[in-house]
Amino acid sequence: MNKYCSILLLGICFYFLLPINTMAAELYLEIPKDEYSIQETFIINIRINVGHNENINAVDGYLRFPKDILKIKDFSTGNSILTFVEEPKINQEEGLISFVGIIPGGYGGLISGDPGQSNLLGKMIFYTTSTGSAQVIFQDGSQVLLSDGKGTPAKLATKGVVFNIKELELPTEGQSLKNEWQDELEKDKIPPEDFKPEIVEINGEYYLVFSTKDKGSGVDHYEILEEGPGVAMGKLFLGQNWTEKESPYLLKDQSLSSNIKVKVVDKAGNEKIIELPVTYSLPWYKNYFIWVIILVLLSFLSFQLWYYLKTKEY
């Protein structure tokens, strides 16, 4: 009996002496090397690890970089597991970057056999401007929320990157400076994913809401085209007037009698156009294009009649 009690006591002590992994999530940065040259463009990946049996559904990230030796050129959302609440914010003057995103359905970490790409949150594209030691780190305020129905902040660990920037080494003839971002853009030939814009009413006004993802270089911008009645003639003389807009977009035509087109363009220049048909068609007598056609026909017939009567007099 004493033997079994001793074994049980030893097991309990061993359990409590084991190191316990209390990490719920880790935000970390990833770069392929630790040394770059001046005037070089490179990418820093933002990734996340999730603790065992944990599930997260939102990330709020704040990062700082040395503004005197690095210039932030872009932030790519391509292949991110996040659905971004708004466009990531870049402040070169302060050396700050921030982003907010959610994960519908939650994220429980890498699955077995995953090559390590499914935990990507975003890509920061930097350009080196001066020599020195550069450190890119997460700021206080960064947080990850658990998918527990309460939005509970997870216990978070963060890991930045440190690298050196050396003097420019002039490339040999026929070579150019390394540009990791340009290489990715040239490989991206796939347009953004399909999406379904929707018209919603907010405070008595109609807005267009739209969003999609791009698995390659990431979404760059959206453009809107409202084609009202008589659009055929407008296209003929004026062409199509696309304007860059963000969601939600206040529709110019509040009668909802226009065709609406939404164009999404990724950072490599690939684009996709989604068209919404007319919601409410105008009655024919309110369509000015029909009246223009009628006036043109009446003018033509009047001229023909005048010409006929004039030639008959002679």
Side-chain angles (χ1 to χ4, degrees):
M1 185 70 178
N2 290 335
K3 178 180 178 182
Y4 288 113
C5 289
S6 299
I7 294 174
L8 179 62
L9 182 61
L10 182 63
I12 294 173
C13 292
F14 182 72
Y15 174 80
F16 283 105
L17 288 174
L18 280 175
I20 300 175
N21 181 14
T22 58
M23 183 204 76
E26 178 192 32
L27 292 173
Y28 69 98
L29 303 180
E30 175 187 73
I31 53 174
K33 57 184 183 179
D34 57 8
E35 189 174 65
Y36 294 90
S37 298
I38 297 179
Q39 300 179 19
E40 189 171 352
T41 301
F42 66 98
I43 299 170
I44 297 181
N45 293 322
I46 307 171
R47 296 190 180 275
I48 186 169
N49 282 331
V50 178
H52 184 60
N53 291 330
E54 293 290 358
N55 196 285
I56 58 106
N57 65 1
V59 180
D60 190 2
Y62 298 88
L63 299 115
R64 178 175 292 278
F65 64 92
K67 59 184 179 179
D68 54 332
I69 58 177
L70 290 179
K71 180 180 180 181
I72 177 71
K73 296 187 66 176
D74 211 338
F75 189 110
S76 172
T77 59
N79 282 320
S80 175
I81 61 174
L82 295 176
T83 296
F84 288 85
V85 175
E86 59 184 5
E87 285 297 309
K89 296 179 180 178
I90 295 173
N91 188 331
Q92 176 65 41
E93 293 183 358
E94 297 294 331
L96 298 173
I97 301 169
S98 63
F99 64 92
V100 181
I102 60 175
I103 309 172
Y107 177 73
L110 298 173
I111 60 176
S112 178
D114 193 304
Q117 296 301 311
S118 69
N119 65 345
L120 181 68
L121 302 182
K123 298 179 180 180
M124 300 178 291
I125 296 87
F126 284 103
Y127 176 79
T128 58
T129 60
S130 182
T131 60
S133 178
Q135 184 179 35
V136 183
I137 58 173
F138 286 94
Q139 290 284 96
D140 292 339
S142 298
Q143 63 176 345
V144 173
L145 303 183
L146 295 175
S147 183
D148 59 358
K150 303 176 183 178
T152 305
K155 185 170 182 180
L156 180 65
T158 62
K159 184 172 69 174
V161 290
V162 180
F163 51 94
N164 294 318
I165 303 172
K166 60 183 181 179
E167 291 287 350
L168 175 64
E169 293 181 0
L170 294 177
T172 59
E173 187 176 353
Q175 293 182 328
S176 58
L177 287 170
K178 180 69 175 177
N179 189 326
E180 295 176 4
W181 182 231
Q182 187 60 38
D183 292 343
E184 286 206 9
L185 293 180
E186 291 176 357
K187 294 176 184 177
D188 183 9
K189 306 297 182 184
I190 303 174
E193 297 180 3
D194 282 326
F195 61 106
K196 186 179 180 181
E198 295 184 357
I199 297 175
V200 298
E201 186 176 358
I202 304 174
N203 296 326
E205 295 183 304
Y206 291 108
Y207 288 80
L208 186 67
V209 178
F210 46 89
S211 178
T212 189
K213 286 189 174 185
D214 181 79
K215 292 183 178 180
S217 54
V219 172
D220 185 71
H221 69 275
Y222 296 89
E223 297 178 23
I224 305 294
L225 176 65
E226 292 187 59
E227 299 180 322
V231 67
M233 181 170 289
K235 284 182 182 179
L236 180 63
F237 294 102
L238 301 175
Q240 293 184 313
N241 186 24
W242 292 91
T243 55
E244 187 172 331
K245 297 294 180 180
E246 295 181 355
S247 178
Y249 163 70
L250 177 63
L251 291 168
K252 294 179 181 178
D253 181 6
Q254 290 289 302
S255 69
L256 305 184
S257 58
S258 298
N259 287 319
I260 302 171
K261 293 182 179 180
V262 183
K263 180 194 296 184
V264 55
V265 184
D266 69 16
K267 294 182 183 297
N270 304 306
E271 61 182 47
K272 175 165 288 186
I273 297 176
I274 304 295
E275 182 173 357
L276 280 74
V278 173
T279 304
Y280 301 112
S281 298
L282 286 175
W284 72 268
Y285 55 84
K286 289 186 178 181
N287 190 330
Y288 71 85
F289 181 57
I290 294 179
W291 283 108
V292 169
I293 294 176
I294 293 174
L295 289 174
V296 170
L297 288 175
L298 287 176
S299 299
F300 176 75
L301 292 175
S302 298
F303 174 79
Q304 291 292 331
L305 179 60
W306 171 82
Y307 184 77
Y308 171 76
L309 293 175
K310 184 176 181 181
T311 53
K312 193 174 183 182
E313 291 178 358
Y314 297 101

